[in-house]
Amino acid sequence: MNVKLLEKSEDCSLYEQVAERIEMLIAEGTLQPGDRLPSVRKLHKQLCVSISTVLEAYRLLEDRGMIRARPQSGYYVKETPATAPDEPSLSNPPWQVCPVDTSLAFRVQKMMRDREIVKLGAAVPSPELFPLATLNRLMGQVARAQPEVVHSYDAPPGCEALRHQVAKRLMDAGCSVTPEAIVTTNGTTEAMYLSLQAVTQPGDTIAIESPTYYGLMDILETLRLKALELPTHPREGISLNHLETALSQGKVTACALVSNFSNPLGSCMSDEKKKQLVELLNRYNVPLVEDDVYGELYFSGSRPKAIKAFDTEGRVLYCASISKTLSPGLRVGWSIPGRYQGKVEQLKMVTNITTAIAPQLTVAAFLANGGYDRHLRRLRQAYQSQMARLTQAICEEFPPETRVTRPCGGHVLWLELPKEFDSMVLYQEALQHKISIAPGTIFSPSGGYQNCLRLHGGLPWSDTIAEAMKILGMLSKKQLARKILAK
Ligand SMILES: Cc1ncc(COP(=O)(O)O)c(C=O)c1O
C-alpha cells in the first residue's frame, strides 16, 4: 500500500481517497480477485486516518461491487466472473449513401434527460465525479479579478489563457501546436459543427463510423449532408480498406470520426492505423474531422495519441472539450482546424462571436493549477471500476448470448443481442420502469442495429443502478422468450 499521507481536499473526502487507493491497487492487479484487504486497524495506522474513515471507505467499495466482507474474516477483493462475454465483431452496414434523419434520436435524447429517470441511456457523466467546489471557487475568483474582461466581447480564436493551457496539454496527445492554432468553441459539438461546415457544401457525403455518435448525425442533418457508414471494429475503429474504396470511387467529401474510446463502440485506433489514415486522406486530398472528447479517459498506460499528431498537411480538424472530464455545463471546447482555420474562425464569428469568457478563464485557471492530472487519475479509476461493475451486471442479468464491448477507456458499453431482439421495444418497456437506455437504431442513419443498445457506465455504482440492470435483463430475457415462442 502506498502510505503517502492523505490530505483533506475540497472535492474529495478522506474516505473516498482511501477507497481510490484501494481501487487503484485492484485496477493495477496488485490486489487480485480473492485477495484479502489489509485489516481496518492496519490501514488506519498506515494511512493515519480514523477507523471510521477506513470502514466508510470499505463500505463504499462494497457498494461499488469491488470488495465483499466475509463475517469474522475481513474484506476481500470480489471474484470476477470466470468468463468475460464475447465481443461484437466488425460491423457490416449497407454500402449506401444515406440522407440523415435524426427525429427518432432527438426524441430519445430528450427523454433521456428526464430527471426522474435512471439514466443508463445518455452518456452524461455524473456531476459528483467532477471537482465542482474548486471550479466554482475559481469561477468566482476569475470574475472578481477581471470583472470587465468577463463581461466584454471577444473574437475568435478565443481566450488566450485557455488556448495556452490546451496547447500544453495536447503535447500528451502527440500534438505540437501553438496557442495561435487553436480556436475555442462551445464544446466539441460546436467545434465539429464549424469544422464540418468549413469543409463541405450541402448535399456532400461524409464517411462515418458505423455505429456512430448520434450528435454527429444531428450535425450532418442540420448541414444537409449525407452519410456513408463504414464497417467499424469495436477495438480498432473504422475499416481503412472500405474507406479507401469510398475515396477511390470519389464518394466522400470528408470523413468524421471519434479517434479514441469512441461512442458508442469504445474503439481506439492504434498509432500505426492513425498514421495510415492520415496518409490515405492526404493521398485523396480529403479532410478529417476528428472528435477526441474521450482521449484523456484511458484506463491504463498513457494517453493515446490524437490522429492530429500525424497530420503533416493541416488536413485534420481536431475537436475536443472538457465535457467528459470537468464539466459539460461550462460548454468549453476547442478546435485545431489546420489549413481551414480562417474559415472556422469566420464561421465562429457569425455563429456566436465568441464562447463566454468566464467559463474559458475558469477552465484555464483549473488546467493551470487546479490539480487536473490528479483529478483525471481519480476519474479514470472511477470510470474503469464502474464499467467493470456494469459489465459484470450484464453478464449476470442479460441473456447469455449478449455480446459486449470491452473498451480500454471512456464510459460507454455497446451490447449486441440475438438478431430477433428489438431494442426499441426494450427502450419503451424500460421507460415504464423509469430507466433509459440508448436503442441501437439511433446510432445509424440507415436504421441498423435494432438488436443493439448502448449503456452508460459513467454513473457511480449504486443499489438503484443494480436494480435497473436487473429489470433491463429481465425485460430482455422476456422479450427473447416471447419471440422464440412466436416462431
Ligand atoms: C463522441 C462525442 N462527441 C461529442 C460529445 C459532446 O461533447 P460536448 O459536450 O463537448 O459538445 C459527446 C457527448 O456525449 C460524445 O459522446
Side-chain angles (χ1 to χ4, degrees), residues 226-259:
K226 288 184 258 173
L228 176 65
E229 293 175 83
L230 296 182
T232 305
H233 191 274
R235 279 178 187 244
E236 291 147 27
I238 204 160
S239 157
L240 294 191
N241 286 340
H242 288 83
L243 178 62
E244 177 147 31
T245 307
L247 292 169
S248 67
Q249 293 174 357
K251 272 188 185 305
V252 298
T253 310
C255 180
L257 50 79
V258 186
S259 44

Side-chain angles (χ1 to χ4, degrees), residues 123 186-190 213 258 263 291 293-294 321 323-324 328 331:
N186 292 314
T188 315
T189 305
E190 189 185 51
Y213 166 54
V258 186
N263 177 1
D291 177 344
V293 76
Y294 293 105
S321 75
S323 291
K324 304 296 172 183
R331 304 309 302 141

Side-chain angles (χ1 to χ4, degrees), residues 218-360:
D218 286 339
I219 297 174
L220 298 187
E221 186 183 17
T222 307
L223 294 174
R224 283 183 280 140
L225 298 168
K226 288 184 258 173
L228 176 65
E229 293 175 83
L230 296 182
T232 305
H233 191 274
R235 279 178 187 244
E236 291 147 27
I238 204 160
S239 157
L240 294 191
N241 286 340
H242 288 83
L243 178 62
E244 177 147 31
T245 307
L247 292 169
S248 67
Q249 293 174 357
K251 272 188 185 305
V252 298
T253 310
C255 180
L257 50 79
V258 186
S259 44
N260 296 312
F261 318 122
S262 69
N263 177 1
L265 283 182
S267 61
C268 183
M269 284 182 190
S270 64
D271 284 355
E272 189 48 37
K273 193 164 172 186
K274 286 172 177 154
K275 190 159 169 271
Q276 284 169 10
L277 171 61
V278 172
E279 284 165 3
L280 184 60
L281 294 167
N282 280 344
R283 219 175 319 134
Y284 288 93
N285 192 8
V286 164
L288 168 74
V289 177
E290 174 185 14
D291 177 344
D292 191 24
V293 76
Y294 293 105
E296 289 188 305
L297 295 179
Y298 52 94
F299 295 155
S300 61
S302 53
R303 190 205 194 289
K305 287 203 168 108
I307 298 172
K308 182 79 188 167
F310 303 95
D311 182 20
T312 47
E313 299 185 10
R315 232 176 238 113
V316 177
L317 299 96
Y318 177 89
C319 306
S321 75
I322 48 117
S323 291
K324 304 296 172 183
T325 54
L326 274 184
S327 159
L330 288 179
R331 304 309 302 141
V332 171
W334 48 87
S335 152
I336 310 171
R339 58 167 72 191
Y340 311 98
Q341 182 161 355
K343 186 74 190 160
V344 168
E345 287 190 13
Q346 187 199 357
L347 290 168
K348 172 71 185 168
M349 189 78 190
V350 296
T351 310
N352 47 37
I353 304 179
T354 186
T355 293
I357 295 160
Q360 295 188 70

Side-chain angles (χ1 to χ4, degrees), residues 402-444:
T402 308
R403 291 170 175 260
V404 191
T405 48
R406 282 181 227 167
C408 301
H411 50 69
V412 293
L413 290 177
W414 180 250
L415 284 67
E416 188 183 292
L417 282 92
K419 279 279 165 267
E420 53 272 27
F421 184 78
D422 187 341
S423 58
M424 263 324 276
V425 171
L426 178 65
Y427 167 75
Q428 298 292 356
E429 290 179 347
L431 276 185
Q432 310 291 318
H433 294 265
K434 297 261 172 227
I435 304 165
S436 78
I437 60 150
T441 35
I442 68 171
F443 298 90
S444 159

Side-chain angles (χ1 to χ4, degrees), residues 37-217:
L37 294 176
S39 73
V40 173
R41 279 187 189 286
K42 188 167 168 196
L43 208 56
H44 133 79
K45 285 203 187 119
Q46 246 181 14
L47 297 178
C48 297
V49 293
S50 70
I51 288 200
S52 64
T53 299
V54 179
L55 279 171
E56 245 182 302
Y58 279 4
R59 240 172 272 150
L60 179 67
L61 291 170
E62 258 190 302
D63 287 347
R64 290 184 181 166
M66 313 275 308
I67 66 172
R68 68 192 163 105
R70 280 197 208 145
Q72 319 291 327
S73 174
Y75 288 88
Y76 290 81
V77 181
K78 213 159 174 185
E79 311 275 354
T80 41
T83 50
D86 284 341
E87 291 173 273
S89 40
L90 183 74
S91 66
N92 185 20
W95 184 252
Q96 70 189 37
V97 172
C98 273
V100 183
D101 172 2
T102 57
S103 48
L104 171 66
F106 193 66
R107 265 188 289 132
V108 169
Q109 282 176 71
K110 275 184 94 165
M111 199 59 102
M112 287 192 295
R113 297 207 175 104
D114 182 340
R115 283 181 189 277
E116 302 272 285
I117 274 177
V118 184
K119 292 190 194 61
L120 286 165
V124 180
S126 177
E128 63 197 87
L129 296 172
F130 291 150
L132 303 187
T134 309
L135 285 170
N136 288 343
R137 179 172 51 76
L138 289 172
M139 185 130 53
Q141 270 176 11
V142 156
R144 280 191 297 278
Q146 306 185 58
E148 288 178 7
V149 172
V150 301
H151 290 287
S152 304
Y153 275 122
D154 193 7
C159 170
E160 211 276 329
L162 175 64
R163 289 185 289 110
H164 186 75
Q165 291 303 323
V166 171
K168 266 191 2 200
R169 287 213 69 84
L170 277 168
M171 287 163 67
D172 289 347
C175 301
S176 101
V177 288
T178 60
E180 290 70 40
I182 299 170
V183 182
T184 65
T185 59
N186 292 314
T188 315
T189 305
E190 189 185 51
M192 300 279 291
Y193 183 85
L194 300 176
S195 299
L196 274 160
Q197 201 177 6
V199 298
T200 60
Q201 299 291 329
D204 284 350
T205 298
I206 312 302
I208 59 171
E209 295 159 290
S210 183
T212 205
Y213 166 54
Y214 47 72
L216 172 61
M217 289 176 9

Side-chain angles (χ1 to χ4, degrees), residues 80-86 387-406 413 415 455 461 469 473 477:
T80 41
T83 50
D86 284 341
M387 293 275 276
R389 198 63 197 79
L390 194 65
T391 307
Q392 194 184 327
I394 295 166
C395 294
E396 288 165 6
E397 310 294 349
F398 271 68
E401 311 89 323
T402 308
R403 291 170 175 260
V404 191
T405 48
R406 282 181 227 167
L413 290 177
L415 284 67
L455 291 180
W461 192 256
M469 289 301 290
K477 284 178 184 160

